[in-house]
Amino acid sequence: MKNVLVILSTYNGEKYLREQIESVLKQENVKISILVRDDGSTDNTCNILEEYEKKGLLRWYTGKNLKPAKSFIDLIFHATNDFDYYAFCDQDDFWYFKKIYSAIEQMENNNDSIDIPKVCYCNLEVVDSDRNLLETKKIHKRCEYDEEMILTYCIPGCAMVFNQVLLNILQKHKPSYATMHDCWVYYVCMAVGGKIYGNEKVGIQYRQHGNNVIGASRIAFKQKMKMIIGNGNSPRQRMISEILRDFDDDLEKGTKLEYLKAFSEYSNSVLKKIKIMRIKRKMAPKRAFIKAKLRVLFNSL
């Protein structure tokens, strides 16, 4: 039975937190441990965490409000390397009871070496506050198109499970900048020649409600235009450039790395921008893909 550390960041999550924790604790065919960082909650969240810790069901600590990306990255660097696998967890979802085991099976039941970094992500159901189904997001085949994923990253961290080999690499360099923790992990795995798997099974109910810190809802038109035109910043390019610099000793030559390097230089090189603009849409939503291409044109992605 594999040992799995679930890493959970909380912030004023009292309403759905118990249900989420219980669904994690009921994961089948794995041994679950939970590490929680509270991001400065002012509601009853910390009392709930203390209750579970007294029962020996999780460990938690608190700190100043860092927002989700930095809070989860802090958790990565608090995680010990004595677990087989690791999984991000949001505070307000519901996990089906074979979410973790199904991902582990996918990563282990193949001919790939056990010594390479691995990430597996699952499909998800988007649900409302009462867990009524809104839509099913079938994203498991997106990992087959690495170049497209550079433009239109789509995998929420709560769908991810990754191995100890990748954790050991991640812990070599704490990022000074990351747009989100999940895409940082994904692009590091891609850069170092890791294997990325998509699991066709639905693993979680991804809850959307009025208090979501992050979620799957559409962005307002004005905000979209602001993102496209930008202000001279290229946040994803900045993050990927830092990854390539910090993890230089671990980089794996190949097509994935070529596209990551081209993306890291697109705002300063016409040839690199053309290379990125020539990436063809495979499975990405058409609107998201067009928006990403426009952001590359305006040097804002």
Side-chain angles (χ1 to χ4, degrees):
M1 188 175 290
K2 300 296 182 180
N3 291 307
V4 181
L5 181 64
V6 174
I7 49 183
L8 164 63
S9 178
T10 58
Y11 178 71
N12 290 346
E14 62 179 1
K15 188 171 183 180
Y16 304 109
L17 182 57
R18 291 181 189 276
E19 186 177 26
Q20 172 68 96
I21 292 174
E22 290 296 329
S23 73
V24 172
L25 293 172
K26 291 177 182 177
Q27 292 296 297
E28 298 177 359
N29 303 322
V30 291
K31 184 178 180 181
I32 291 289
S33 298
I34 304 175
L35 176 64
V36 186
R37 181 187 184 278
D38 184 72
D39 201 29
S41 293
T42 56
D43 64 357
N44 197 44
T45 296
C46 292
N47 290 330
I48 295 172
L49 295 175
E50 186 66 20
E51 174 189 324
Y52 276 96
E53 184 172 59
K54 286 180 179 178
K55 295 178 181 178
L57 299 175
L58 57 76
R59 294 180 295 116
W60 75 285
Y61 66 100
T62 189
K64 65 179 182 179
N65 185 254
L66 298 177
K67 307 301 181 187
K70 290 184 178 180
S71 185
F72 273 108
I73 288 171
D74 190 74
L75 277 161
I76 289 173
F77 284 84
H78 275 78
T80 56
N81 62 357
D82 51 352
F83 294 88
D84 301 302
Y85 292 94
Y86 301 81
F88 293 125
C89 180
D90 291 346
Q91 65 184 0
D92 48 13
D93 298 328
F94 177 87
W95 286 11
Y96 289 113
F97 301 150
K98 289 188 178 180
K99 173 191 185 294
I100 297 291
Y101 182 68
S102 181
I104 293 173
E105 276 195 313
Q106 181 105 9
M107 287 185 276
E108 294 193 348
N109 292 346
N110 52 61
N111 296 321
D112 298 320
S113 169
I114 62 172
D115 296 322
I116 64 172
K118 296 180 180 181
V119 173
C120 183
Y121 64 90
C122 62
N123 288 329
L124 52 91
E125 293 174 346
V126 180
V127 299
D128 64 17
S129 58
D130 297 317
R131 290 178 50 201
N132 296 308
L133 181 64
L134 300 176
E135 64 172 312
T136 299
K137 286 188 172 291
K138 295 184 178 181
I139 56 176
H140 64 283
K141 289 188 176 181
R142 290 289 303 277
C143 65
E144 298 176 11
Y145 307 104
D146 302 305
E147 299 90 348
E148 184 183 72
M149 285 290 283
I150 295 174
L151 285 171
T152 56
Y153 181 81
C154 68
I155 301 166
C158 56
M160 282 182 168
V161 179
F162 55 95
N163 65 357
Q164 185 196 100
V165 180
L166 182 54
L167 179 84
N168 292 339
I169 292 174
L170 295 172
Q171 290 183 333
K172 289 183 179 181
H173 302 284
K174 194 169 188 176
S176 63
Y177 180 80
T179 54
M180 280 302 292
H181 58 288
D182 44 20
C183 56
W184 179 72
V185 169
Y186 188 97
Y187 291 136
V188 171
C189 188
M190 182 185 294
V192 301
K195 183 73 176 180
I196 300 169
Y197 308 83
N199 192 317
E200 65 180 357
K201 295 179 182 178
V202 171
I204 67 172
Q205 289 189 324
Y206 191 45
R207 195 186 318 250
Q208 300 299 289
H209 55 89
N211 296 324
N212 279 65
V213 178
I214 48 179
S217 57
R218 289 187 175 179
I219 300 172
F221 177 76
K222 287 185 178 180
Q223 190 176 351
K224 283 184 180 180
M225 293 305 299
K226 186 177 180 180
M227 289 173 65
I228 290 171
I229 297 173
N231 56 0
N233 293 325
S234 305
R236 189 173 302 172
Q237 182 189 46
R238 177 183 171 187
M239 176 179 63
I240 290 177
S241 296
E242 183 178 300
I243 288 171
L244 297 181
R245 182 183 70 247
D246 288 348
F247 295 93
D248 181 64
D249 292 338
D250 296 294
L251 299 179
E252 184 76 19
K253 292 182 180 180
T255 303
K256 295 179 184 180
L257 185 59
E258 290 176 7
Y259 273 95
L260 286 171
K261 285 184 174 180
F263 188 85
S264 73
E265 300 171 11
Y266 81 80
S267 64
N268 299 312
S269 168
V270 174
L271 291 178
K272 298 297 173 59
K273 181 172 288 191
I274 291 173
K275 183 179 179 70
I276 297 301
M277 291 298 293
R278 292 180 67 182
I279 293 174
K280 295 182 179 180
R281 185 174 76 90
K282 302 293 185 179
M283 293 191 68
K286 188 174 181 180
R287 289 182 180 179
F289 193 76
I290 291 172
K291 185 179 75 172
K293 288 284 189 79
L294 288 172
R295 290 183 68 184
V296 169
L297 282 175
F298 284 95
N299 296 334
S300 64
L301 184 61

